[in-house]
Amino acid sequence: MRGSWLAIVVLLLKVSLVAAQRPDTNYDEAKVGTLPLPELLRCADGTEVKDAETWRTRRRPEILKLFEEHMFGRTPGGRPAEMHFEVTSTKSDAVDGLAVRKEVTIHFTRRADGPKLDLLVYLPKQATKAPAFLGLNFSGNHAVDPDPAIKLNPGWFRNAPERGYVDNRATEKSRGAEASRWDIAAIVKRGYALVTACYTDLDPDFDDGFANGVQPLFYKPGQTKPAEDEWGSIGAWAWGMSRMLDYLETEPTIDAKRVAAIGHSRLGKTTLWAGAQDPRFALVISNNSGEGGAAISRRNYGETIAVLNRAFPHWFCDNYNRYSQDVAALPVDAHMLVALCAPRPVYIASAVEDQWADPRGEFLAGYYAEPVYKLFGKPGLGVSSDATPAIDQPLLTGTIGYHLRTGKHDVTSYDWQQYLTFADRHFKTK
Ligand code: GCU
């Protein structure tokens, strides 16, 4: 009884907190403002970028550095020297006999009880060198597929009793809780492998001053938290995606040169950052990533940097706080994040009922990234106007894909169908 009252009070507090955070959210296109975007094709010294070489050797490194310094924070290290892989289970007849399923632990140090990341891997039997999708999940590998043989994630989770997360732990009830977001059968049937892992293994998603998670692995002697320009949680999650790719490079049935990074929402922001930093990702998919991801920050529409920094102070680097009240001073914007992936294909997906993420702003990041693709002789989105495409009419033929799907902030089978078609175009045809 006492517990349920407490739950109601906590809920009311949360609702009023959210309302307090969002009183002045703008959803009126006429009021988005007219702030000019930072120039993509002009170097800091004024040189105009007219060819792919100047972009690659000069402007791209400049922009990457700006994102590190002002937004996501520098990633202090790469692959740890002591990192190793341990296969903990193999099932030879997963997905109706179409795939081999493995559970693999990436140990980041020599110690078995040190920081680690548990992978869930599906390898299609029909392919000898399969392309793959690689993405972090929110709720644990056991939530991606209800099979009770998959290890129940023992880590910290946000409470959601209706989905089986109680006392910040996953219970048996949470098996399959995220299955609708991972169309494993469709992926495997099309000849793709899937590797996923839970983002909280890398850094639990709450503000604890970076005591837990992988950050302490890289602290210098005496350091207790990341510096102002060093990574927050998104940086750590993106780093983890690169470590997952390190594993795929050792998997003989996978073609590690055809790996698509995918992520939804905060993990969509993460995926863009992973793709920007690690050129081994051959294709990058941002699903409903919104502010701090694909949405143009200079558009005042839906979520803003101020709200993002207040609600999730641990996601970005501390320097990002400078732009909460002054977005015009931010030396980068989302079109540059997309452009950092060029000439690799990028897919940006929005949803009609996800106005918080600013679907039009997400589309425009692709549109304004296009000049960089053109330097490489690639079409970008390949559209002739900046009008947002019609609902449920995906743009699949360019190097930048886009769709605005009917429905809510989510990953659906419809989204996966577009990603598979887009990946087929880039991975399976010459
Ligand atoms: C919140 C947050 C978004 C984020 C989303 C998510 O809505 O404001 O920026 O993308 O959570 O990750 O689910």
Side-chain angles (χ1 to χ4, degrees):
M1 197 55 200
R2 209 144 146 228
S4 55
W5 273 112
L6 193 67
I8 292 170
V9 171
V10 169
L11 186 72
L12 286 174
L13 275 174
K14 277 189 187 159
V15 169
S16 49
L17 193 72
V18 168
Q21 279 169 351
R22 304 182 179 179
D24 48 6
T25 304
N26 176 50
Y27 290 116
D28 180 353
E29 194 57 39
K31 295 187 185 145
V32 297
T34 54
L35 288 176
L37 293 179
E39 276 197 77
L40 196 52
L41 295 183
R42 192 171 298 281
C43 296
D45 70 357
T47 311
E48 202 184 325
V49 181
K50 292 193 182 132
D51 53 76
E53 187 58 11
T54 314
W55 166 261
R56 215 174 47 74
T57 57
R58 293 189 53 194
R59 185 59 176 149
R60 186 182 185 282
E62 270 179 16
I63 294 177
L64 187 62
K65 205 148 173 283
L66 292 172
F67 273 106
E68 287 177 340
E69 205 177 312
H70 300 273
M71 194 164 164
F72 295 104
R74 266 187 305 111
T75 304
R79 178 190 169 127
E82 293 180 356
M83 187 172 101
H84 60 280
F85 309 115
E86 180 194 5
V87 179
T88 58
S89 85
T90 305
K91 182 177 154 101
S92 58
D93 59 349
V95 197
D96 293 332
L98 294 175
V100 174
R101 188 186 74 208
K102 285 190 186 177
E103 289 176 279
V104 179
T105 299
I106 306 184
H107 295 278
F108 296 127
T109 65
R110 199 166 298 160
R111 293 199 333 263
D113 62 347
K116 57 185 169 35
L117 181 66
D118 286 334
L119 311 185
L120 181 66
V121 187
Y122 292 85
L123 305 167
K125 287 188 195 166
Q126 48 155 308
T128 41
K129 275 282 179 193
F133 287 91
L134 180 158
L136 293 169
N137 63 68
F138 284 83
S139 311
N141 295 341
H142 67 275
V144 166
D145 179 335
D147 185 336
I150 296 171
K151 179 181 164 189
L152 196 69
N153 189 305
W156 182 94
F157 289 97
R158 205 166 294 286
N159 284 333
E162 68 295 350
R163 299 168 68 240
Y165 296 88
V166 182
D167 296 332
N168 297 119
R169 292 285 174 262
T171 67
E172 286 294 323
K173 190 183 166 191
S174 65
R175 291 193 176 280
E178 200 181 322
S180 67
R181 287 186 172 170
W182 299 90
D183 201 339
I184 300 170
I187 296 166
V188 165
K189 282 183 190 149
R190 285 279 269 269
Y192 288 85
L194 172 68
V195 54
T196 182
C198 184
Y199 80 135
T200 56
D201 284 13
L202 293 156
D203 189 14
D205 193 359
F206 60 91
D207 186 17
D208 72 329
F210 301 107
N212 57 26
V214 294
Q215 285 88 355
L217 271 180
F218 295 93
Y219 287 164
K220 297 186 201 84
Q223 186 175 4
T224 54
K225 64 180 184 89
E228 285 75 18
D229 65 345
E230 282 184 328
W231 61 356
S233 295
I234 290 181
W237 300 330
W239 175 87
M241 291 180 76
S242 288
R243 304 294 69 83
M244 291 162 75
L245 187 49
D246 292 343
Y247 166 73
L248 286 191
E249 287 181 337
T250 71
E251 180 54 69
T253 64
I254 285 192
D255 179 1
K257 297 218 162 6
R258 289 185 294 158
V259 175
I262 178 166
H264 169 61
S265 205
R266 68 199 67 183
L267 297 176
K269 309 181 207 302
T270 302
T271 299
L272 284 168
W273 184 226
Q277 291 180 100
D278 190 339
R280 293 176 301 164
F281 288 114
L283 193 154
V284 179
I285 303 169
S286 147
N287 192 92
N288 306 179
S289 63
E291 186 68 46
I296 298 282
S297 296
R298 279 168 175 74
R299 283 170 50 83
N300 176 23
Y301 192 101
E303 188 171 29
T304 61
I305 296 178
V307 174
L308 195 55
N309 277 333
R310 198 159 52 219
F312 308 101
H314 56 295
W315 283 3
F316 296 85
C317 74
D318 279 354
N319 280 344
Y320 196 42
N321 288 314
R322 296 181 192 161
Y323 308 102
S324 287
Q325 306 307 329
D326 190 7
V327 59
L330 181 68
V332 290
D333 213 317
H335 62 312
M336 296 163 130
L337 188 56
V338 175
L340 286 176
C341 297
R344 293 166 290 154
V346 173
Y347 198 107
I348 303 169
S350 308
V352 175
E353 290 171 43
D354 188 21
Q355 293 300 313
W356 181 240
D358 185 12
R360 175 149 177 78
E362 293 179 316
F363 167 73
L364 287 176
Y367 184 78
Y368 289 118
E370 201 165 272
V372 176
Y373 282 82
K374 294 223 164 112
L375 292 179
F376 289 91
K378 306 261 181 185
L381 279 162
V383 292
S384 53
S385 99
D386 74 352
T388 308
I391 296 166
D392 298 330
Q393 299 291 316
L395 300 181
L396 294 163
T397 58
T399 337
I400 305 175
Y402 179 82
H403 70 249
L404 173 59
R405 160 178 63 69
T406 311
K408 291 205 263 291
H409 184 70
D410 200 358
V411 193
T412 68
S413 288
Y414 175 89
D415 296 318
W416 275 106
Q417 283 311 319
Q418 315 320 315
Y419 303 152
L420 286 163
T421 304
F422 189 70
D424 276 355
R425 278 181 192 277
H426 293 283
F427 285 167
K428 295 190 181 167
T429 50
K430 286 274 162 266

